[in-house]
Amino acid sequence: MSTDPPAYLLSLQANIRARPIPWDGAVRAGHLTEGQLKKIKSVDKVRKEQRRRTVEEDLPAFRTLLLGDPGDGGDAAVLDTARKRVDVVQYILVLMGDLLDDVPPLAPALLEHPSPYDAFLPFLRASRTTGGGSKSTLVEDPIPLLASAVLCRLLSAALTAPATTNAAPTASSAAATSTNRPALEEEVGKALPKLYSYLSLLSRSSDSGLQDIAVQQYSALLRNGQSRRIFLRQRDETVAPLVETLRAAAGLEKSGSDYGEDAATVWSGAAAAPASSTVRSAGDSGGGGVGLQLLYHVLLVLWQLSFEGVWVGDELEEAYEIIPLYAQLLRFSPKEKTTRVLLSTLRNLLSSSSSNSSSTDPSSLSSSSSSTLLLPAATLARLPSALQSIRSRHLTDPDLLDDLQALTTLMDDYCRTQTTFDEYAAEVRSEHLHWSPPHRNESFWRENARRIVDDLHGELLLLLAAILAKPWEGNKTVLAVACNDVAWLVKVLPQQPLRDRLEKLGLKARVMALMADEDQAVRWESLRAVGEWLRYSFSA
């Protein structure tokens, strides 16, 4: 797993560290106090060993410096004092990041503050006036970027903190105090949505460097169930941009929760553009491709989400059709490390069951709860054939091979229990009709037409009507296949009550209207459906 910090952020921080800061002038202007400056200078531009020793010897004082004294009339946080000085605020935020890196006990000590994030959250909304008088955008402003990096470190520490977090006893702290877990979770619950909202702006940026910062911070934050649930509650902000990145990497059209003109390719398992045309190395530029490192980091975020169990998979499938997307990515995965994360995510999602959906152990391969939505989607997307293709590659990673075998076994077991009718029903429920074998098989229709009409109070018939009611501008194949199915129903079950039922659902009027559709295949199939209707009308 890559843990290299984003180059964009490292470059920004290095640039700020090199800038001279007129500290004495800031004190004279009231933007710092003498005491604050003394503390800053004691840890600025010194060796790591000295910095660590200085902070550890007086953790409460540095907590007050960075977060303020929570008591009435107590000292303000240094960022509040320096708020009007952009250069000082930027420098202190970088210094705080360095302190958190160099002094491990500092983060737990800061979390003992009753409001450990309040000093940073206002900077996520910051915008400042540039030299020309215009305001810089939030994405362009380095202050929110630097504040988010510090917040990410603190929140990550809080999310992984034990039930009690004790600051080490020091000369100035005879006894350590403990952090109350419910209070800590409450503060996290207030701060985390705001940080996610800011990071979502970066993830939507056209700058891959900013995107990578957002994705790596997401990964650092998705450490437990609380952070993952909040992330999913904000999925329009958080998950949607990541899915768009994956679609671009797969060479697919970006179109919300649908695949537009690429739907037939994705759901039939046909080959799309090779990954080499859309996935590039992190250092390449141009072409609108997705950097390999960015792709890997996005996959890691969704892998972390997959540990929440089948309910996550259902949400992701309903909103973004994640299973066919992953099947498509598998076919053209450019590196073994991306293939490993893809397989592990699919295993987590597909192997979840009602008995272990709350567990993070993916070893139990039961399909009892995931079979309703996820396993049918995997079958329709031709995941078994994608897995078979992967087997032909020269792969050496033991975890990858274990996941590959587990998924293959799971899919084989599921497919053995499925009939042709089950496959057809799953396809209709997915709404992504394509020319799979049942649609043109007369034997299938003669054996199953009555089930399609009657089973579950006509659920499939109602779904077929709902599918036909949509325009499907990006994927006319769906309309053509649906008209074909109506034609077969009328042909095989010509009884007047059924035709009346189809008319009440609006199917006859809809297929007649589609005879004027611009798509030739839709016109032909709708004409055939109307022809079957008229044939029996005249016979009657």
Side-chain angles (χ1 to χ4, degrees):
M1 180 185 297
S2 172
T3 57
D4 295 336
Y8 187 108
L9 186 58
L10 289 178
S11 175
L12 174 64
Q13 290 169 335
N15 180 278
I16 291 172
R17 285 189 199 98
R19 297 175 188 172
I21 303 295
W23 296 112
D24 292 336
V27 172
R28 287 195 298 272
H31 298 139
L32 284 177
T33 67
E34 291 282 0
Q36 288 171 338
L37 179 58
K38 182 179 179 181
K39 284 293 181 188
I40 290 171
K41 287 188 173 182
S42 70
V43 293
D44 185 32
K45 302 188 188 307
V46 298
R47 297 192 309 276
K48 286 185 179 181
E49 295 80 4
Q50 181 180 344
R51 173 180 288 169
R52 176 169 180 166
R53 187 169 57 252
T54 301
V55 175
E56 287 183 345
E57 287 176 353
D58 202 359
L59 282 169
F62 278 94
R63 181 172 59 237
T64 299
L65 170 71
L66 301 178
L67 303 181
D69 188 338
D72 293 337
D75 294 337
V78 63
L79 289 173
D80 288 334
T81 309
R83 185 177 299 275
K84 295 182 180 179
R85 286 288 299 268
V86 171
D87 58 339
V88 174
V89 169
Q90 290 180 358
Y91 196 92
I92 290 172
L93 286 170
V94 172
L95 180 60
M96 290 180 71
D98 294 339
L99 291 174
L100 289 169
D101 286 337
D102 298 341
V103 189
L106 179 60
L110 295 179
L111 293 178
E112 294 175 7
H113 194 281
S115 303
Y117 317 114
D118 288 359
F120 312 101
L121 290 173
F123 292 105
L124 297 183
R125 301 187 300 271
S127 63
R128 57 189 177 85
T129 303
T130 62
S134 61
K135 285 192 173 182
S136 65
T137 66
L138 195 60
V139 172
E140 295 171 346
D141 196 334
I143 288 182
L145 196 62
L146 297 169
S148 74
V150 175
L151 263 175
C152 180
R153 289 295 307 275
L154 283 177
L155 284 164
S156 180
L159 290 164
T160 55
T164 58
T165 302
N166 293 328
T170 64
S172 58
S173 175
T177 58
S178 63
T179 298
N180 180 270
R181 165 56 67 178
L184 195 62
E185 291 181 351
E186 182 180 355
E187 290 299 314
V188 168
K190 294 176 183 177
L192 200 51
K194 297 175 183 178
L195 181 55
Y196 281 156
S197 293
Y198 169 71
L199 294 177
S200 73
L201 298 178
L202 301 185
S203 70
R204 295 178 188 274
S205 169
S206 58
D207 189 314
S208 61
L210 293 175
Q211 291 175 20
D212 201 41
I213 290 172
V215 173
Q216 289 207 47
Q217 289 194 24
Y218 282 154
S219 189
L221 293 166
L222 295 173
R223 310 296 290 274
N224 65 11
Q226 181 190 14
S227 61
R228 293 192 283 262
R229 288 189 292 272
I230 294 172
F231 190 85
L232 281 163
R233 280 202 298 268
Q234 296 177 240
R235 70 184 188 195
D236 289 344
E237 289 182 293
T238 56
V239 180
L242 305 185
V243 173
E244 295 302 330
T245 298
L246 295 182
R247 287 177 174 176
L252 301 173
E253 181 180 291
K254 298 180 181 180
S255 53
S257 63
D258 200 354
Y259 288 105
E261 295 177 357
D262 295 308
T265 296
V266 174
W267 285 95
S268 66
S276 59
S277 67
T278 52
V279 179
R280 54 186 173 82
S281 66
D284 292 343
S285 60
V290 177
L292 180 57
Q293 279 300 95
L294 176 59
L295 170 63
Y296 181 58
H297 292 149
V298 170
L299 291 174
L300 282 176
V301 169
L302 294 177
W303 171 73
Q304 288 172 274
L305 286 180
S306 71
F307 283 95
E308 282 303 291
V310 69
W311 71 272
V312 172
D314 286 344
E315 280 203 23
L316 294 178
E317 183 61 24
E318 289 176 0
Y320 309 110
E321 293 169 354
I322 200 73
I323 298 298
L325 174 58
Y326 266 56
Q328 189 72 356
L329 286 166
L330 267 179
R331 294 182 179 97
F332 301 111
S333 176
K335 295 288 184 179
E336 188 167 302
K337 69 178 185 178
T338 55
T339 302
R340 180 176 64 245
V341 181
L342 285 164
L343 288 173
S344 182
T345 304
L346 285 169
R347 182 180 180 181
N348 286 349
L349 294 177
L350 296 177
S351 67
S352 299
S353 69
S354 57
S355 61
N356 66 1
S357 61
S358 62
S359 171
T360 59
D361 179 10
S363 60
S364 176
L365 296 179
S366 169
S367 63
S368 60
S369 62
S370 57
S371 60
T372 304
L373 183 62
L374 302 183
L375 286 170
T379 305
L380 286 172
R382 303 296 185 262
L383 179 60
S385 67
L387 297 175
Q388 188 62 37
S389 176
I390 291 173
R391 284 185 173 277
S392 65
R393 304 178 191 175
H394 180 65
L395 302 171
T396 58
D397 185 279
D399 291 333
L400 184 156
L401 294 173
D402 180 58
D403 287 335
L404 178 58
Q405 182 58 50
L407 276 171
T408 301
T409 301
L410 176 62
M411 293 307 303
D412 287 347
D413 290 345
Y414 174 75
C415 290
R416 272 196 297 270
T417 66
Q418 299 303 292
T419 65
T420 306
F421 176 81
D422 293 328
E423 293 178 7
Y424 175 80
E427 185 178 331
V428 173
R429 291 187 182 106
S430 77
E431 295 193 347
H432 290 280
L433 305 183
H434 58 281
W435 290 114
S436 55
H439 295 287
R440 284 173 168 159
N441 187 316
E442 183 172 354
S443 297
F444 168 80
W445 288 102
R446 293 199 179 280
E447 293 172 6
N448 296 290
R450 179 57 62 185
R451 287 188 66 187
I452 292 171
V453 170
D454 293 339
D455 275 17
L456 297 175
H457 307 289
E459 175 204 11
L460 295 180
L461 193 60
L462 293 171
L463 289 172
L464 197 60
I467 290 169
L468 269 171
K470 297 179 181 180
W472 297 98
E473 293 295 344
N475 185 16
K476 291 290 187 177
T477 299
V478 173
L479 289 177
V481 176
C483 288
N484 165 85
D485 291 2
V486 172
W488 276 111
L489 288 173
V490 177
K491 181 177 181 177
V492 175
L493 301 173
Q495 297 86 353
Q496 186 66 44
L498 173 64
R499 284 184 285 145
D500 290 344
R501 185 175 168 188
L502 296 180
E503 285 192 42
K504 287 181 180 179
L505 290 174
L507 288 171
K508 183 177 180 181
R510 179 58 173 155
V511 296
M512 291 181 69
L514 289 173
M515 289 193 297
D517 194 87
E518 60 184 16
D519 186 87
Q520 182 178 357
V522 174
R523 291 199 304 271
W524 168 254
E525 296 298 339
S526 59
L527 179 62
R528 191 166 71 84
V530 172
E532 293 293 344
W533 232 302
L534 294 177
R535 180 155 68 94
Y536 287 104
S537 296
F538 291 141
S539 298

